[in-house]
Amino acid sequence: MTYDTLNLLFQFLDSFAFIVLATVGLAVIFGMMGIINLAHGEFILVGAYGTTLSYGAGLPLVAAMGVGVLVTTVFGLVLERTVIRRLYHRPLDSMVATWGLSLLSIQLARIVFGNTLSQVGTPLGSISYGPFSYSAYRVALAGIAVAVLGGLYWLFMYTEFGTQARATMEDEPTARSMGVDTDRIYLGTFGLGSALAGLTGALYAPTITMTPELGASFLVEAFVTVVVGGSSVLVGTSLAGGFLGVVNATFTNLAGTFIGQVAMLLAAILAIRLLPEGITGLLDSWREKRAEGEQ
Amino acid sequence: METDNLTKNGRSSTRRAFLAAGAAGLAATAGCTGSAAGGDDVVRIGVLEDRSGDFALNGTSKWQTSVLAVEELNDSGGILGKEIELFDPDPQSDNQRYQELTRRLIQREEVDALWAGYSSAARETIRPLINQYEQLYFYTTQYEGGVCDNTIFPVGATARQQLGAVVPYLIEEYGPRIYTIAADYNFGQISGDWVRILAEENDAEVIGEEFIPLDVSQFGSTINRIQEADPDFVMSMLVGQNHTSFYNQRASAGLDIPIGSSTTMAQGYEHRRLNPPALADMYVGVNYMQEIGTEASDTFVERFYDRWPDAPYLNQEAQNNYFSIHMYAEAAERAGTTDQEAVIEELEKGMEIDAPEGTIELDGDTHHMNHHMRIGHADANHDLAFGNEQYIGAGFLREVGCSLPTDPETTQYLPAEVYDL
């Protein structure tokens, strides 16, 4: 009985970490800048390949992950300067352009690196309890996911960049008239989103198979979570990640992986039907009601 | 050396001389005939193998050995003195593209024989076209079995052959309690049925089963469910890049139950790509892997890497493409024409062929091959050892009475229709 509870807990942590880490880079770029980045999976690919290749070249794993993040950040910054900056306030165009980027990156990775890379093994070993065991690394990922959310909260709430970024996303002309270099803020935010996607790739590189299509397995989860979460990056991602993680873990544990996936999609459809603005929309309307009540 | 074996009948030096003359004549008339399809000046072979998309990892070497076989045949005079022209657009692992390209190769290029497809889904997607145009078609992937179809030659090993080699062995070695995990489409489902049939035949029991969608890459709960059931061994018919993640996750979660498979290693060379010990104690039933170490195989491997020095691996299916193209050439030579009906009639007489896996026979009645099946075992360092070699025929279709020369049909038989499951 307690073992089953532990199974459920670990499965939840696993799902939560995967959902949050898959989403967070996309959420920053999509939620804050309105760019629908269909190449999000390929940003993760860049991070994963950067990590695996530099590990293969002899770097220790943590340093290799640092390289993965760095490479993805540079990749994102270059793309922002060359392609993405022309697409702000044009969400549909951004979708087509980033989709093209995605196809391009996948084929490029295939041409340059072939159909596969030899994979880094998962570090940290396993946690055993009774007849069961779980990968310790995957449990650690849940801790990292929470830390990433915490770090973002600090960045957006307590730094000058965060304030300026929020101001720019809220009302760009006013922010500019107040002396904010919005061009630089856009660049910085996109770079941040890229770095987070790169981090996801770097963290999952030791657990997934290295092929040029690996981004695809993150993309659906990321989009579902962003849509369920709504426009606020932090609140949306963490609550939607928690909600979908619980649904996924419960049904997967009860009835297997297939039912777990079905349940998660059904939950997402229901959430979108009932909360068209996502979870953050619901919270906003609660807050407004309470404000009215106080007056 | 292998080429000589494969083509020993019917490619004499006199023919080669005749050929040279023919080729000269050909060159002279090339201007008139142009590139009009269906002309008698060349033999047209279509090869649709995935070099991009999901199955690129498995499809690329299938394409490479096809090119190799065609080049070898052309170097030794082609088929019936005619040069082989190869049509090999990349279907990109996309079933819709498979349909378009198959239609194009049959209608516009009028190919004399077609090799196409990695997955069973790709095969089933083009089978209506194959049937409609009565196209001679070779499907070379190891597969779930049961296709009894007039113009189709599924020359890869079937589930009954692959699993029939490995399941009884593992029951003997480890015990009778089996847990099956498989990809959730026709290949995985039918393979799961076969595991149950083989378990029953060997007094064993499938104590748990999970079918997993192809896009799933996270296996934490699957591993827990296996641990809960605590089987003697696991049978895994997981497929594709997402599913490959299972093995690494199994190692990091400390799941140390032996695993048997009909797919892993022999197709996607996981033992080369994954960091040991992801595949520790992994068994696979196969007719061929580049490491089997026979003389015929080593010669073949050497020639393959001479032609494709950068190729990462030469898989089971690639061998099947290679020998079946040579087999086709042999049949066309014997028939004296590339007319598809005549070649099929020739193939249906049965045929023996020296393939890299060993000398194997085509079973004319069922259009399947009798294969040399081996058990490959990976240890904690991913070093392979092979053993328990058996010669296994196309048993299932014989059981259901598939006899194509006398009784033409276009059916896929399912084990569930024949066995009590």
Side-chain angles (χ1 to χ4, degrees), chain B residues 244-411:
Chain B
T244 305
S245 306
F246 168 78
Y247 297 104
N248 214 330
Q249 290 171 26
R250 158 209 185 220
S252 68
L255 178 75
D256 53 6
I257 299 171
I259 301 187
S261 175
S262 60
T263 50
T264 311
M265 302 198 286
Q267 305 183 47
Y269 51 102
E270 287 80 359
H271 57 299
R272 300 283 187 92
R273 295 191 289 131
L274 304 188
N275 202 18
L279 298 176
D281 245 349
M282 175 97 211
Y283 294 85
V284 61
V286 284
N287 61 320
Y288 185 79
M289 284 174 76
Q290 71 170 31
E291 294 94 343
I292 61 170
T294 63
E295 204 186 318
S297 165
D298 289 348
T299 319
F300 174 53
V301 170
E302 199 178 308
R303 199 160 48 232
F304 175 76
Y305 286 105
D306 275 348
R307 175 64 181 84
W308 304 100
D310 297 329
Y313 194 70
L314 164 55
N315 67 8
Q316 178 185 25
E317 275 78 28
Q319 189 242 200
N320 298 344
N321 275 51
Y322 178 80
F323 85 70
S324 56
I325 288 177
H326 279 290
M327 186 171 75
Y328 165 75
E330 183 63 48
E333 295 282 356
R334 286 192 198 174
T337 169
T338 51
D339 176 67
Q340 299 190 31
E341 217 173 307
V343 174
I344 290 171
E345 222 168 273
E346 194 59 48
L347 286 164
E348 284 178 345
K349 290 179 188 163
M351 221 171 177
E352 203 175 77
I353 187 123
D354 290 329
E357 69 171 271
T359 303
I360 50 177
E361 281 161 295
L362 171 66
D363 179 50
D365 282 348
T366 63
H367 290 191
H368 283 61
M369 304 297 299
N370 302 332
H371 277 292
H372 288 280
M373 302 308 300
R374 303 161 160 93
I375 292 171
H377 173 245
D379 65 14
N381 298 319
H382 291 189
D383 290 330
L384 294 188
F386 291 89
N388 221 42
E389 188 174 331
Q390 304 170 58
Y391 195 50
I392 305 184
F396 175 52
L397 283 177
R398 291 225 159 251
E399 281 168 51
V400 300
C402 169
S403 178
L404 288 162
T406 53
D407 198 4
E409 55 182 317
T410 58
T411 323

Side-chain angles (χ1 to χ4, degrees), chain A residues 24-43:
Chain A
V24 70
L26 183 76
V28 167
I29 290 171
F30 176 67
M32 300 194 63
M33 309 172 74
I35 294 284
I36 301 174
N37 183 16
L38 285 180
H40 177 63
E42 283 58 54
F43 282 66

Side-chain angles (χ1 to χ4, degrees), chain A residues 7 11 18 110 115-116 118-119 121-122 125-126 131-135 138 206-207 209 211 213 252-253 256-258, chain B residues 52-53 56-57 60 210 213 215-216 218 220-222 224-225 227-228 241 244-245 248-249 252-253 269 273-275:
Chain A
N7 269 347
Q11 183 61 36
F18 187 75
R110 172 165 291 121
N115 284 312
T116 181
S118 87
Q119 191 186 339
T122 313
S126 61
F132 300 104
S133 55
Y134 222 92
S135 164
R138 301 187 69 93
T207 72
T209 315
T211 67
E213 289 95 3
T252 305
N253 253 36
T257 315
F258 174 67
Chain B
S52 56
L57 188 72
T60 305
E210 189 173 353
D215 60 354
V216 166
Q218 309 298 313
S221 79
T222 304
N224 281 160
R225 295 160 80 77
Q227 288 174 327
E228 189 163 22
Q241 45 138 343
T244 305
S245 306
N248 214 330
Q249 290 171 26
S252 68
Y269 51 102
R273 295 191 289 131
L274 304 188
N275 202 18

Side-chain angles (χ1 to χ4, degrees), chain B residues 119-121 123-124 144 183-192 412 414:
Chain B
S119 72
S120 288
R123 181 195 71 238
E124 288 306 303
E144 69 278 3
D184 195 8
Y185 71 111
N186 59 352
F187 167 75
Q189 295 275 359
I190 296 173
S191 294
Q412 178 167 21
L414 302 176

Side-chain angles (χ1 to χ4, degrees), chain A residues 3 11-12 43 59 65 80 93 104 130 173 183 197 210 260 275 291:
Chain A
Y3 290 148
Q11 183 61 36
F12 167 73
F43 282 66
L59 284 183
M65 286 176 169
E80 203 276 345
D93 297 348
L104 207 68
D183 190 48
M210 290 289 117
L275 315 168

Side-chain angles (χ1 to χ4, degrees), chain A residues 216-252:
Chain A
S217 66
F218 293 88
L219 196 64
V220 176
E221 243 102 348
F223 268 94
V224 167
T225 314
V226 164
V227 173
V228 170
S231 58
S232 160
V233 178
L234 283 172
V235 182
T237 307
S238 52
L239 289 183
F243 168 63
L244 294 173
V246 166
V247 171
N248 180 258
T250 312
F251 284 89
T252 305

Side-chain angles (χ1 to χ4, degrees), chain A residues 48-68:
Chain A
Y49 267 48
T51 304
T52 307
L53 288 167
S54 39
Y55 179 81
L59 284 183
L61 186 57
V62 176
M65 286 176 169
V67 173

